[in-house]
Amino acid sequence: MVSLLTSLPYLLILCYLVLIIWAAVGHRSDTMAWLGLWNGLVLLIALFVLPWITTGGRDTFDARTDDLSLHPLFSELLEKVPLENVWNETPILYAVITCNAEDTDKCLDKIPDGAIRRYATLTRNDTNIESFRLIGQATGAGSGLRITIVVLLIWSLFYFFWMIAKVVGMHANYFPEGMRWALAGVGVLLVPLVLWYLPIVDTLGYRDIFGISTVAFLAGARVGPGIGWAFIGLLIGLVVLLISDDSSSANI
Amino acid sequence: MLTVYILFFASLFLAAWSLQDIEGSTDRFRLRLPQTIGALATFFGFFFVGWVRFAPLDFAINVIPDMFEDSVFGLLRWVLNMLGDAQAAQFLSWITSLASLPGWLLLVVIPSAQLLLRILLLSIGFFSFLYVIWSAIALIMRPTPFVKTVNILFTCIGFIQAALLIYLLPTIDSWGSAGTMWRSFSALLLGVQMGSGVWITLFGLLLSAVGNFADVISQSQAKSNGTYDNEDSSYSSFYTSN
């Protein structure tokens, strides 16, 4: 599974190049439809298969909490700062550095903030987190990420089925003409949103919530390839939508 | 987020305006405007606007208020009271602006292991000068094959730089600290965040590349229509002849 995920981006790039060259040389609506179909498939792979967040998992989480709890800086800090005063504001940091590694599970259960607790548990238990699993994680101020993922998911499904219908020449029967422009319009709105979340998806789209950033640091969370491929798929999808000619494709 | 939206749609509008009916265009200003704005945005975004912001005060306020209550915040509150409301806001904005690094200064603080990011920053810094100079030169030069070659070259370089910048956004946002525990932790404590300079530079690069591309298309169309001669006609007569 890991080797498949590692080699997948190279396969995607190779197929993209072949199809783009074919579409450019052929410059016919059927070649564009095949490129669009492949692009729709890439979007679905990016949303359902490729991770949007990769973490170091349980080993990294426990090793980092252990390192922090043993560091003299924090021993001094804990002596000066009464724990009960700061528990409600930054529970995660104080929870982990006052626990031994083997007690981390119990310490995480004590975190009062539900979003931080869920994210800590998720990043500790899983090394690859796909987009659809983030929908339930980002809540409150971070619900923008959740909405973006849901809209992107619906957009990708519509786009994929539209391209299937276009390849088999049935799209005129099932999809109204205005749908291409509606998809293009929503796609244009999605581009800056996905671009905005691209660097900060590892903190669930939050920019300044210390607890979430701390969880991301402890788990060694990094932005995975999924959101990057989703962005590429979205851009190429938009280009295909804007330059594909419906009137000629009906003759495929 | 609003900055990204405004920049994105302004770039989109300018690019669409530049490319629309380019074949019959007689408006030099319209053809060169996206490239000129893009070049200036790249230069301004890279050298003068923060790519990375630090917010250690946020950390102190959120994490260890008791420690700072009687010392740093007490002093700050005293200073703000002395200044009054209007000057206090100015003072705080001044402190905030100090706690940010523009793109060229980011070169100094990122770890040497981030070689790709260093190369990208160097190339953006170098080419941003050339983009600005070229945007001025291209306005007065005749549409020779040399001009077309440089436009094609700058289009390719601009798109490559923009693609690399998008690829490296997560690395910039984490201050080049991904994978290194203590550097990540220092980034966490310093409240490191990506600044708006990255977005301004990115949209500047894209706009500049699209502007150069538009110029290439207009020259190619004019040549295929036989509306200008490489040796004789001037740039302005080419456009007015259309």
Side-chain angles (χ1 to χ4, degrees), chain A residues 4 18 24 26 31 36-37 45 55 58 68 71 78 103 121 123 143 163 174 178 182 184 188 208 222 225 236 245:
Chain A
L4 178 69
V18 170
T31 56
L37 182 63
I45 289 171
T55 73
R58 188 176 286 261
L68 277 185
H71 199 279
L78 289 172
D103 295 323
T121 310
T123 50
S143 56
M163 283 301 159
Y174 296 104
V188 168
D208 49 8
R222 299 172 72 171
I236 295 179
D245 184 6

Side-chain angles (χ1 to χ4, degrees), chain A residues 84-99:
Chain A
E84 61 273 14
N85 289 356
V86 291
W87 181 266
N88 288 328
E89 291 175 19
T90 56
I92 176 69
L93 185 61
Y94 286 92
V96 294
I97 64 177
T98 51
C99 287

Side-chain angles (χ1 to χ4, degrees), chain B residues 17 79 104 120 142 168 176-177 193 212:
Chain B
W17 184 52
V79 171
W104 63 277
L120 176 69
R142 292 177 358 175
L168 290 169
S177 61
Q193 288 182 1
N212 282 318

Side-chain angles (χ1 to χ4, degrees), chain A residues 115-183:
Chain A
I116 297 174
R117 188 174 59 243
R118 279 199 306 277
Y119 189 50
T121 310
L122 181 73
T123 50
R124 188 161 177 261
N125 292 332
D126 290 303
T127 50
N128 291 316
I129 303 165
E130 296 82 10
S131 68
F132 61 92
R133 292 167 69 197
L134 290 177
I135 294 170
Q137 294 294 321
T139 54
S143 56
L145 176 65
R146 181 160 50 172
I147 294 166
T148 304
I149 292 172
V150 170
V151 175
L152 183 63
L153 213 139
I154 295 167
W155 191 90
S156 306
L157 286 172
F158 266 103
Y159 177 81
F160 183 64
F161 288 121
W162 189 65
M163 283 301 159
I164 288 178
K166 202 168 161 67
V167 164
V168 298
M170 301 284 283
H171 70 287
N173 299 336
Y174 296 104
F175 294 97
E177 168 61 24
M179 186 171 167
R180 181 160 72 108
W181 295 107
L183 271 178

Side-chain angles (χ1 to χ4, degrees), chain B residues 184-206:
Chain B
S184 296
F185 192 60
S186 63
L188 176 73
L189 296 187
L190 288 170
V192 172
Q193 288 182 1
M194 203 168 70
S196 54
V198 180
W199 301 119
I200 294 172
T201 307
L202 176 63
F203 289 110
L205 285 171
L206 288 173

Side-chain angles (χ1 to χ4, degrees), chain A residues 73-87 89-90 93-94 97-98, chain B residues 59-60 62-69:
Chain A
L73 173 73
F74 288 96
S75 311
E76 286 176 25
L77 192 69
L78 289 172
E79 283 173 14
K80 290 177 182 170
V81 182
L83 192 62
E84 61 273 14
N85 289 356
V86 291
W87 181 266
E89 291 175 19
T90 56
L93 185 61
Y94 286 92
I97 64 177
T98 51
Chain B
F59 167 74
N62 289 324
V63 182
I64 37 180
D66 294 345
M67 281 184 74
F68 283 80
E69 185 66 30

